[in-house]
Amino acid sequence: MNDDSPWKARLRAWFGAEGRDGADRGAALDDLAEGLLAARRPLVVAGSGVVAEDAVPGLRALAAEARIGVYNTWRAKGVLPWDSDYHLGTIGLQERDVALCALEAYDLILTTGLAEGEPPRLPEGLPVVSCAVGDLEILAVRCAHRTGEETVEAPLRERLAAVVQKAWGGATPPLAPTLITRQYALLLGERGMIAADAGTAGFYLGRTFPTLRPRTVELPPVPTPGFAAAAVAARRAAEPDLPALALVDGERPDAATEAAVAEAAARGIAVPVVCWAPDGPQIGIEDHLQDVRKAVAADEPRVVVVGYDPGQLADLEDVAGRVTAW
């Protein structure tokens, strides 16, 4: 870093106060930027740390400025809006997710924010480099107006979309899970949040809920009874007027969920719960949404039970294999 290019001068200004460690960090970031600019087909894989460290603006800037597609893990949903050209999809939920992404077709894969053990595990031998989430915004500045190929192909997302969207037109029971999650997104996606326990409802939330922003969807890293209800309670404690919903499997809440709901109620926080059960009430989507709206707006905790079509899972597994998220 001895020349006087504007970029390296900015790095010295940014990191110079950090001493030798800062200089090493600046040199590493400069090498990373040069590699990204030289890559013909680069790609980003983003994990939950991007959300946890509030680095979403930097990631979005990098994707837009450098015209690079982003896959996010299911714990990082919303780092890019679902309708962004650079949002390539959510990975790590099913066994063939990574294979369908055709990662071997990229000459540089930038990972950022991946927590230890966070799925999916990338295959050995790929050209993987890592970027600290705190450096994403700086990297976006350096790589603005990148001239290389725009990487927006999304083979996994496109194959899944054929299954997901096929069910959107059926408003009568048994309800397709992908229709339910789409309607939840229309109800809560603009300013609310929705959490789910590990299981069927959690899988569909992670796989098919069209997110616009981070922290709209909350899912547990490992199976944790009562997670969804506790997550809603925590968010509503900080934001009392937040539209929010907890999803669980079964015809009634499990003991851990009931305990979390009761604890929240004792603090004046209402946690609405929706139970997904294949043999639950066979009602149309409008009737279900009416029940959900009432539960979300209520001052006391309410439980809604809905029946769904379990057969749609086989269609998704035909595309991407068995569920491996938990």
Side-chain angles (χ1 to χ4, degrees), residues 33-230:
E34 293 298 328
L36 193 58
L37 288 169
R40 183 179 60 85
R41 285 177 52 78
L43 178 75
V44 177
V45 176
S48 58
V50 176
V51 178
E53 299 297 326
D54 294 321
V56 171
L59 177 63
R60 291 187 174 189
L62 177 62
E65 294 290 346
R67 300 156 48 249
I68 301 173
V70 177
Y71 282 108
N72 59 263
T73 69
W74 49 268
R75 291 177 56 202
K77 283 181 70 69
V79 290
L80 262 65
W82 72 270
D83 55 354
S84 166
D85 289 341
Y86 303 108
H87 171 60
L88 305 187
T90 297
I91 56 175
L93 286 156
Q94 293 177 257
E95 63 181 343
R96 292 204 299 271
D97 279 6
V98 170
L100 291 171
C101 294
L103 298 183
E104 66 279 359
Y106 297 89
D107 57 350
L108 187 147
I109 298 173
L110 176 73
T111 62
T112 184
L114 291 176
E116 184 176 355
E118 183 171 7
R121 168 178 273 181
L122 300 182
E124 298 288 339
L126 294 175
V128 175
V129 297
S130 181
C131 179
V133 295
D135 291 340
L136 289 170
E137 197 162 3
I138 301 172
L139 192 62
V141 172
R142 176 66 177 98
C143 296
H145 311 299
R146 172 183 157 266
T147 58
E149 180 179 340
E150 184 177 55
T151 53
V152 293
E153 300 86 355
L156 172 65
R157 186 183 65 189
E158 290 169 4
R159 292 186 63 175
L160 289 168
V163 174
V164 170
Q165 296 174 14
K166 181 174 65 176
W168 284 357
T172 57
L175 297 177
T178 59
L179 172 65
I180 300 174
T181 56
R182 179 175 185 260
Q183 295 301 315
Y184 289 169
L186 295 174
L187 182 64
L188 299 170
E190 286 291 336
R191 71 180 193 92
M193 66 85 67
I194 185 165
D197 286 355
T200 299
F203 165 70
Y204 278 103
L205 191 63
R207 178 91 288 173
T208 68
F209 187 96
T211 42
L212 294 171
R213 53 191 177 79
R215 298 190 172 93
T216 303
V217 166
E218 295 194 24
L219 296 167
V222 296
T224 307
F227 171 88

